mmCIF file of all heavy atoms in Angstrom:
data_model
loop_
_atom_site.group_PDB
_atom_site.id
_atom_site.type_symbol
_atom_site.label_atom_id
_atom_site.label_comp_id
_atom_site.label_asym_id
_atom_site.label_seq_id
_atom_site.Cartn_x
_atom_site.Cartn_y
_atom_site.Cartn_z
ATOM 1 N N ASP M 65 -17.638 -12.285 20.365
ATOM 2 C CA ASP M 65 -18.022 -11.665 19.147
ATOM 3 C C ASP M 65 -16.791 -11.585 18.150
ATOM 4 O O ASP M 65 -16.864 -11.328 16.933
ATOM 5 C CB ASP M 65 -18.590 -10.240 19.175
ATOM 6 C CG ASP M 65 -19.813 -10.235 20.073
ATOM 7 O OD1 ASP M 65 -20.632 -11.164 19.961
ATOM 8 O OD2 ASP M 65 -20.153 -9.209 20.752
ATOM 9 N N ILE M 66 -15.612 -11.757 18.795
ATOM 10 C CA ILE M 66 -14.351 -11.441 18.079
ATOM 11 C C ILE M 66 -13.546 -12.703 17.845
ATOM 12 O O ILE M 66 -13.454 -13.606 18.721
ATOM 13 C CB ILE M 66 -13.489 -10.488 18.828
ATOM 14 C CG1 ILE M 66 -14.162 -9.236 19.113
ATOM 15 C CG2 ILE M 66 -12.182 -10.139 18.011
ATOM 16 C CD1 ILE M 66 -13.638 -8.368 20.132
ATOM 17 N N ASN M 67 -12.985 -12.949 16.563
ATOM 18 C CA ASN M 67 -12.161 -14.070 16.254
ATOM 19 C C ASN M 67 -10.745 -13.582 15.830
ATOM 20 O O ASN M 67 -10.720 -12.732 15.045
ATOM 21 C CB ASN M 67 -12.833 -14.831 15.089
ATOM 22 C CG ASN M 67 -12.165 -16.127 14.742
ATOM 23 O OD1 ASN M 67 -11.563 -16.841 15.681
ATOM 24 N ND2 ASN M 67 -12.029 -16.416 13.510
ATOM 25 N N ILE M 68 -9.792 -14.157 16.575
ATOM 26 C CA ILE M 68 -8.479 -13.854 16.231
ATOM 27 C C ILE M 68 -7.663 -15.018 15.905
ATOM 28 O O ILE M 68 -7.630 -16.075 16.601
ATOM 29 C CB ILE M 68 -7.658 -13.177 17.468
ATOM 30 C CG1 ILE M 68 -8.637 -11.946 17.864
ATOM 31 C CG2 ILE M 68 -6.361 -12.750 17.124
ATOM 32 C CD1 ILE M 68 -8.017 -11.248 19.154
ATOM 33 N N GLU M 69 -6.929 -15.019 14.682
ATOM 34 C CA GLU M 69 -6.260 -16.183 14.180
ATOM 35 C C GLU M 69 -4.745 -15.771 13.878
ATOM 36 O O GLU M 69 -4.544 -14.690 13.391
ATOM 37 C CB GLU M 69 -6.897 -16.770 12.958
ATOM 38 C CG GLU M 69 -8.238 -17.420 13.233
ATOM 39 C CD GLU M 69 -8.835 -17.997 11.917
ATOM 40 O OE1 GLU M 69 -8.218 -17.934 10.916
ATOM 41 O OE2 GLU M 69 -10.075 -18.440 12.163
ATOM 42 N N PHE M 70 -3.889 -16.623 14.047
ATOM 43 C CA PHE M 70 -2.512 -16.319 13.637
ATOM 44 C C PHE M 70 -1.955 -17.569 12.871
ATOM 45 O O PHE M 70 -2.011 -18.575 13.282
ATOM 46 C CB PHE M 70 -1.520 -16.290 15.013
ATOM 47 C CG PHE M 70 -0.140 -15.756 14.538
ATOM 48 C CD1 PHE M 70 0.184 -14.518 14.297
ATOM 49 C CD2 PHE M 70 0.815 -16.746 14.598
ATOM 50 C CE1 PHE M 70 1.436 -14.124 14.042
ATOM 51 C CE2 PHE M 70 2.151 -16.473 14.311
ATOM 52 C CZ PHE M 70 2.474 -15.179 14.139
ATOM 53 N N ASN M 71 -1.578 -17.276 11.644
ATOM 54 C CA ASN M 71 -1.035 -18.222 10.652
ATOM 55 C C ASN M 71 0.012 -17.651 9.859
ATOM 56 O O ASN M 71 -0.351 -16.713 9.024
ATOM 57 C CB ASN M 71 -2.289 -18.811 9.950
ATOM 58 C CG ASN M 71 -1.916 -20.080 9.083
ATOM 59 O OD1 ASN M 71 -0.903 -20.612 9.340
ATOM 60 N ND2 ASN M 71 -2.734 -20.465 8.090
ATOM 61 N N ASN M 72 1.134 -18.399 9.700
ATOM 62 C CA ASN M 72 2.234 -18.025 8.841
ATOM 63 C C ASN M 72 2.566 -16.362 9.008
ATOM 64 O O ASN M 72 2.537 -15.696 8.007
ATOM 65 C CB ASN M 72 1.934 -18.261 7.292
ATOM 66 C CG ASN M 72 1.903 -19.818 7.208
ATOM 67 O OD1 ASN M 72 2.547 -20.533 7.787
ATOM 68 N ND2 ASN M 72 0.975 -20.093 6.248
ATOM 69 N N ASN M 73 2.748 -16.032 10.172
ATOM 70 C CA ASN M 73 3.124 -14.532 10.495
ATOM 71 C C ASN M 73 2.050 -13.544 10.136
ATOM 72 O O ASN M 73 2.236 -12.297 9.975
ATOM 73 C CB ASN M 73 4.374 -14.147 9.862
ATOM 74 C CG ASN M 73 5.548 -14.555 10.762
ATOM 75 O OD1 ASN M 73 5.392 -15.232 11.667
ATOM 76 N ND2 ASN M 73 6.738 -14.163 10.422
ATOM 77 N N VAL M 74 0.760 -14.127 9.878
ATOM 78 C CA VAL M 74 -0.409 -13.204 9.646
ATOM 79 C C VAL M 74 -1.357 -13.314 10.819
ATOM 80 O O VAL M 74 -1.875 -14.318 10.999
ATOM 81 C CB VAL M 74 -0.967 -13.487 8.297
ATOM 82 C CG1 VAL M 74 -2.185 -12.622 8.003
ATOM 83 C CG2 VAL M 74 -0.008 -13.274 7.112
ATOM 84 N N LEU M 75 -1.624 -12.098 11.444
ATOM 85 C CA LEU M 75 -2.580 -12.091 12.418
ATOM 86 C C LEU M 75 -3.996 -11.593 11.697
ATOM 87 O O LEU M 75 -3.902 -10.516 11.121
ATOM 88 C CB LEU M 75 -2.234 -11.090 13.428
ATOM 89 C CG LEU M 75 -3.145 -10.950 14.740
ATOM 90 C CD1 LEU M 75 -3.011 -12.146 15.592
ATOM 91 C CD2 LEU M 75 -2.861 -9.636 15.448
ATOM 92 N N THR M 76 -5.104 -12.365 11.925
ATOM 93 C CA THR M 76 -6.328 -11.914 11.294
ATOM 94 C C THR M 76 -7.342 -11.685 12.416
ATOM 95 O O THR M 76 -7.579 -12.717 13.263
ATOM 96 C CB THR M 76 -6.867 -12.939 10.308
ATOM 97 O OG1 THR M 76 -5.757 -13.078 9.293
ATOM 98 C CG2 THR M 76 -8.192 -12.546 9.736
ATOM 99 N N ILE M 77 -7.898 -10.583 12.447
ATOM 100 C CA ILE M 77 -9.040 -10.166 13.368
ATOM 101 C C ILE M 77 -10.338 -10.031 12.532
ATOM 102 O O ILE M 77 -10.341 -9.296 11.714
ATOM 103 C CB ILE M 77 -8.648 -8.956 14.084
ATOM 104 C CG1 ILE M 77 -7.335 -9.080 14.771
ATOM 105 C CG2 ILE M 77 -9.796 -8.623 15.168
ATOM 106 C CD1 ILE M 77 -6.676 -7.769 15.215
ATOM 107 N N SER M 78 -11.362 -10.784 13.058
ATOM 108 C CA SER M 78 -12.665 -10.679 12.359
ATOM 109 C C SER M 78 -13.749 -10.760 13.348
ATOM 110 O O SER M 78 -13.603 -11.180 14.441
ATOM 111 C CB SER M 78 -12.797 -11.814 11.398
ATOM 112 O OG SER M 78 -12.708 -13.157 12.013
ATOM 113 N N SER M 79 -14.884 -10.226 12.893
ATOM 114 C CA SER M 79 -16.169 -10.283 13.636
ATOM 115 C C SER M 79 -17.280 -10.297 12.680
ATOM 116 O O SER M 79 -17.283 -9.815 11.504
ATOM 117 C CB SER M 79 -16.184 -9.103 14.633
ATOM 118 O OG SER M 79 -17.377 -9.106 15.283
ATOM 119 N N GLU M 80 -18.511 -10.935 13.176
ATOM 120 C CA GLU M 80 -19.564 -10.979 12.438
ATOM 121 C C GLU M 80 -20.791 -10.601 13.356
ATOM 122 O O GLU M 80 -20.939 -11.193 14.436
ATOM 123 C CB GLU M 80 -19.784 -12.233 11.773
ATOM 124 C CG GLU M 80 -20.989 -12.346 10.814
ATOM 125 C CD GLU M 80 -20.945 -13.740 9.863
ATOM 126 O OE1 GLU M 80 -19.933 -14.447 10.058
ATOM 127 O OE2 GLU M 80 -21.854 -13.924 9.230
ATOM 128 N N ASN M 81 -21.627 -9.663 12.831
ATOM 129 C CA ASN M 81 -22.826 -9.281 13.835
ATOM 130 C C ASN M 81 -24.127 -9.449 12.998
ATOM 131 O O ASN M 81 -24.216 -8.829 11.915
ATOM 132 C CB ASN M 81 -22.542 -7.795 14.300
ATOM 133 C CG ASN M 81 -23.777 -7.403 15.187
ATOM 134 O OD1 ASN M 81 -24.351 -8.311 15.834
ATOM 135 N ND2 ASN M 81 -23.866 -6.144 15.320
ATOM 136 N N LYS M 82 -25.010 -10.155 13.516
ATOM 137 C CA LYS M 82 -26.278 -10.388 12.790
ATOM 138 C C LYS M 82 -27.371 -9.877 13.692
ATOM 139 O O LYS M 82 -27.402 -10.095 14.935
ATOM 140 C CB LYS M 82 -26.511 -11.842 12.389
ATOM 141 C CG LYS M 82 -25.553 -12.405 11.488
ATOM 142 C CD LYS M 82 -25.855 -13.901 11.222
ATOM 143 C CE LYS M 82 -24.908 -14.567 10.233
ATOM 144 N NZ LYS M 82 -25.135 -15.997 10.024
ATOM 145 N N SER M 83 -28.198 -8.972 13.104
ATOM 146 C CA SER M 83 -29.233 -8.491 14.003
ATOM 147 C C SER M 83 -30.311 -9.617 14.052
ATOM 148 O O SER M 83 -30.686 -10.251 13.078
ATOM 149 C CB SER M 83 -29.892 -7.229 13.345
ATOM 150 O OG SER M 83 -30.324 -7.449 12.191
ATOM 151 N N GLU M 84 -30.840 -9.830 15.281
ATOM 152 C CA GLU M 84 -31.861 -10.833 15.469
ATOM 153 C C GLU M 84 -33.196 -10.246 15.270
ATOM 154 O O GLU M 84 -33.531 -9.204 15.924
ATOM 155 C CB GLU M 84 -31.597 -11.553 16.818
ATOM 156 C CG GLU M 84 -30.188 -12.140 16.743
ATOM 157 C CD GLU M 84 -30.037 -12.890 18.137
ATOM 158 O OE1 GLU M 84 -30.958 -13.000 18.884
ATOM 159 O OE2 GLU M 84 -28.826 -13.247 18.400
ATOM 160 N N LYS M 85 -34.111 -10.935 14.677
ATOM 161 C CA LYS M 85 -35.502 -10.490 14.635
ATOM 162 C C LYS M 85 -36.366 -10.890 15.845
ATOM 163 O O LYS M 85 -36.218 -12.066 16.227
ATOM 164 C CB LYS M 85 -36.178 -10.937 13.359
ATOM 165 C CG LYS M 85 -35.584 -10.391 12.090
ATOM 166 C CD LYS M 85 -36.259 -11.009 10.899
ATOM 167 C CE LYS M 85 -35.625 -10.522 9.639
ATOM 168 N NZ LYS M 85 -36.297 -11.032 8.448
ATOM 169 N N GLU M 86 -37.013 -9.936 16.301
ATOM 170 C CA GLU M 86 -37.941 -10.267 17.417
ATOM 171 C C GLU M 86 -39.259 -10.556 16.921
ATOM 172 O O GLU M 86 -39.842 -9.670 16.270
ATOM 173 C CB GLU M 86 -37.937 -9.118 18.451
ATOM 174 C CG GLU M 86 -38.824 -9.432 19.713
ATOM 175 C CD GLU M 86 -38.866 -8.182 20.650
ATOM 176 O OE1 GLU M 86 -37.802 -7.645 20.810
ATOM 177 O OE2 GLU M 86 -39.835 -8.003 21.259
ATOM 178 N N GLU M 87 -39.760 -11.806 17.116
ATOM 179 C CA GLU M 87 -41.068 -12.086 16.581
ATOM 180 C C GLU M 87 -42.013 -12.387 17.624
ATOM 181 O O GLU M 87 -41.724 -13.050 18.680
ATOM 182 C CB GLU M 87 -40.967 -13.382 15.685
ATOM 183 C CG GLU M 87 -40.096 -13.219 14.513
ATOM 184 C CD GLU M 87 -40.111 -14.453 13.766
ATOM 185 O OE1 GLU M 87 -40.872 -15.427 13.882
ATOM 186 O OE2 GLU M 87 -39.159 -14.653 12.823
ATOM 187 N N LYS M 88 -43.221 -11.644 17.677
ATOM 188 C CA LYS M 88 -44.213 -11.827 18.569
ATOM 189 C C LYS M 88 -45.293 -12.766 18.076
ATOM 190 O O LYS M 88 -45.716 -12.789 16.893
ATOM 191 C CB LYS M 88 -44.917 -10.426 18.819
ATOM 192 C CG LYS M 88 -43.974 -9.558 19.387
ATOM 193 C CD LYS M 88 -44.637 -8.143 19.724
ATOM 194 C CE LYS M 88 -43.572 -7.253 20.319
ATOM 195 N NZ LYS M 88 -44.188 -5.872 20.505
ATOM 196 N N LYS M 89 -45.708 -13.671 18.907
ATOM 197 C CA LYS M 89 -46.697 -14.650 18.418
ATOM 198 C C LYS M 89 -48.117 -14.000 18.636
ATOM 199 O O LYS M 89 -48.450 -13.616 19.630
ATOM 200 C CB LYS M 89 -46.662 -15.917 19.347
ATOM 201 C CG LYS M 89 -45.321 -16.649 19.154
ATOM 202 C CD LYS M 89 -45.358 -17.825 19.957
ATOM 203 C CE LYS M 89 -44.011 -18.617 19.772
ATOM 204 N NZ LYS M 89 -43.991 -19.806 20.625
ATOM 205 N N GLU M 90 -48.768 -13.945 17.488
ATOM 206 C CA GLU M 90 -50.151 -13.481 17.460
ATOM 207 C C GLU M 90 -51.010 -14.452 16.784
ATOM 208 O O GLU M 90 -50.525 -15.214 15.901
ATOM 209 C CB GLU M 90 -50.141 -12.102 16.622
ATOM 210 C CG GLU M 90 -49.402 -11.009 17.407
ATOM 211 C CD GLU M 90 -49.394 -9.674 16.621
ATOM 212 O OE1 GLU M 90 -50.383 -9.575 15.699
ATOM 213 O OE2 GLU M 90 -48.665 -8.842 16.886
ATOM 214 N N GLU M 91 -52.234 -14.439 17.060
ATOM 215 C CA GLU M 91 -53.196 -15.414 16.469
ATOM 216 C C GLU M 91 -53.732 -14.912 15.165
ATOM 217 O O GLU M 91 -54.376 -15.547 14.338
ATOM 218 C CB GLU M 91 -54.434 -15.592 17.533
ATOM 219 C CG GLU M 91 -53.872 -16.313 18.739
ATOM 220 C CD GLU M 91 -55.075 -16.542 19.727
ATOM 221 O OE1 GLU M 91 -56.131 -16.560 19.263
ATOM 222 O OE2 GLU M 91 -54.711 -16.812 20.865
ATOM 223 N N LYS M 92 -53.564 -13.635 14.802
ATOM 224 C CA LYS M 92 -53.968 -13.059 13.554
ATOM 225 C C LYS M 92 -53.184 -13.443 12.372
ATOM 226 O O LYS M 92 -52.098 -13.958 12.486
ATOM 227 C CB LYS M 92 -54.058 -11.520 13.620
ATOM 228 C CG LYS M 92 -54.841 -10.904 14.731
ATOM 229 C CD LYS M 92 -54.800 -9.477 14.779
ATOM 230 C CE LYS M 92 -55.706 -8.844 15.863
ATOM 231 N NZ LYS M 92 -55.437 -7.388 15.878
ATOM 232 N N ALA M 93 -53.779 -13.437 11.247
ATOM 233 C CA ALA M 93 -53.121 -13.672 9.954
ATOM 234 C C ALA M 93 -51.929 -12.787 9.696
ATOM 235 O O ALA M 93 -51.008 -13.138 8.916
ATOM 236 C CB ALA M 93 -54.030 -13.784 8.822
ATOM 237 N N GLU M 94 -52.018 -11.522 10.213
ATOM 238 C CA GLU M 94 -50.909 -10.578 10.004
ATOM 239 C C GLU M 94 -49.565 -11.155 10.686
ATOM 240 O O GLU M 94 -48.526 -10.584 10.270
ATOM 241 C CB GLU M 94 -51.339 -9.304 10.625
ATOM 242 C CG GLU M 94 -52.555 -8.658 9.949
ATOM 243 C CD GLU M 94 -52.985 -7.385 10.663
ATOM 244 O OE1 GLU M 94 -52.277 -6.953 11.556
ATOM 245 O OE2 GLU M 94 -54.050 -6.834 10.251
ATOM 246 N N ALA M 95 -49.639 -11.996 11.681
ATOM 247 C CA ALA M 95 -48.415 -12.364 12.386
ATOM 248 C C ALA M 95 -47.484 -13.124 11.366
ATOM 249 O O ALA M 95 -46.234 -13.126 11.576
ATOM 250 C CB ALA M 95 -48.825 -13.377 13.467
ATOM 251 N N LYS M 96 -47.978 -13.701 10.333
ATOM 252 C CA LYS M 96 -47.117 -14.373 9.358
ATOM 253 C C LYS M 96 -46.439 -13.433 8.454
ATOM 254 O O LYS M 96 -45.509 -13.859 7.763
ATOM 255 C CB LYS M 96 -47.953 -15.425 8.591
ATOM 256 C CG LYS M 96 -48.555 -16.447 9.409
ATOM 257 C CD LYS M 96 -49.378 -17.474 8.563
ATOM 258 C CE LYS M 96 -49.940 -18.560 9.422
ATOM 259 N NZ LYS M 96 -50.768 -19.382 8.795
ATOM 260 N N GLU M 97 -46.819 -12.149 8.199
ATOM 261 C CA GLU M 97 -46.163 -11.226 7.465
ATOM 262 C C GLU M 97 -44.879 -10.745 8.084
ATOM 263 O O GLU M 97 -44.745 -10.715 9.247
ATOM 264 C CB GLU M 97 -47.070 -10.018 7.212
ATOM 265 C CG GLU M 97 -48.329 -10.347 6.386
ATOM 266 C CD GLU M 97 -49.303 -9.172 6.248
ATOM 267 O OE1 GLU M 97 -48.724 -7.978 6.474
ATOM 268 O OE2 GLU M 97 -50.399 -9.395 5.879
ATOM 269 N N ALA M 98 -43.995 -10.374 7.159
ATOM 270 C CA ALA M 98 -42.712 -9.891 7.677
ATOM 271 C C ALA M 98 -42.945 -8.534 8.299
ATOM 272 O O ALA M 98 -43.924 -7.792 7.934
ATOM 273 C CB ALA M 98 -41.706 -9.612 6.542
ATOM 274 N N PRO M 99 -42.171 -8.173 9.372
ATOM 275 C CA PRO M 99 -42.485 -6.860 10.067
ATOM 276 C C PRO M 99 -42.125 -5.633 9.232
ATOM 277 O O PRO M 99 -41.338 -5.704 8.244
ATOM 278 C CB PRO M 99 -41.394 -6.818 11.180
ATOM 279 C CG PRO M 99 -40.427 -7.896 10.912
ATOM 280 C CD PRO M 99 -41.029 -8.967 9.985
ATOM 281 N N LYS M 100 -43.038 -4.740 9.267
ATOM 282 C CA LYS M 100 -42.989 -3.477 8.514
ATOM 283 C C LYS M 100 -42.062 -2.395 9.276
ATOM 284 O O LYS M 100 -42.565 -2.019 10.225
ATOM 285 C CB LYS M 100 -44.355 -2.937 8.215
ATOM 286 C CG LYS M 100 -44.264 -1.679 7.349
ATOM 287 C CD LYS M 100 -45.645 -1.250 7.012
ATOM 288 C CE LYS M 100 -45.574 0.029 6.261
ATOM 289 N NZ LYS M 100 -46.898 0.636 5.963
#
Side-chain angles (χ1 to χ4, degrees):
D65 302 326
I66 304 166
N67 183 36
I68 303 173
E69 295 178 3
F70 184 80
N71 187 17
N72 295 328
N73 276 11
V74 176
L75 182 76
T76 302
I77 304 165
S78 60
S79 179
E80 188 171 352
N81 182 24
K82 296 179 181 177
S83 63
E84 297 178 13
K85 294 181 182 178
E86 182 180 323
E87 295 181 14
K88 297 180 181 179
K89 295 181 180 179
E90 296 180 14
E91 295 179 16
K92 298 179 182 179
E94 295 174 5
K96 294 180 182 179
E97 294 178 16
K100 181 180 177 183

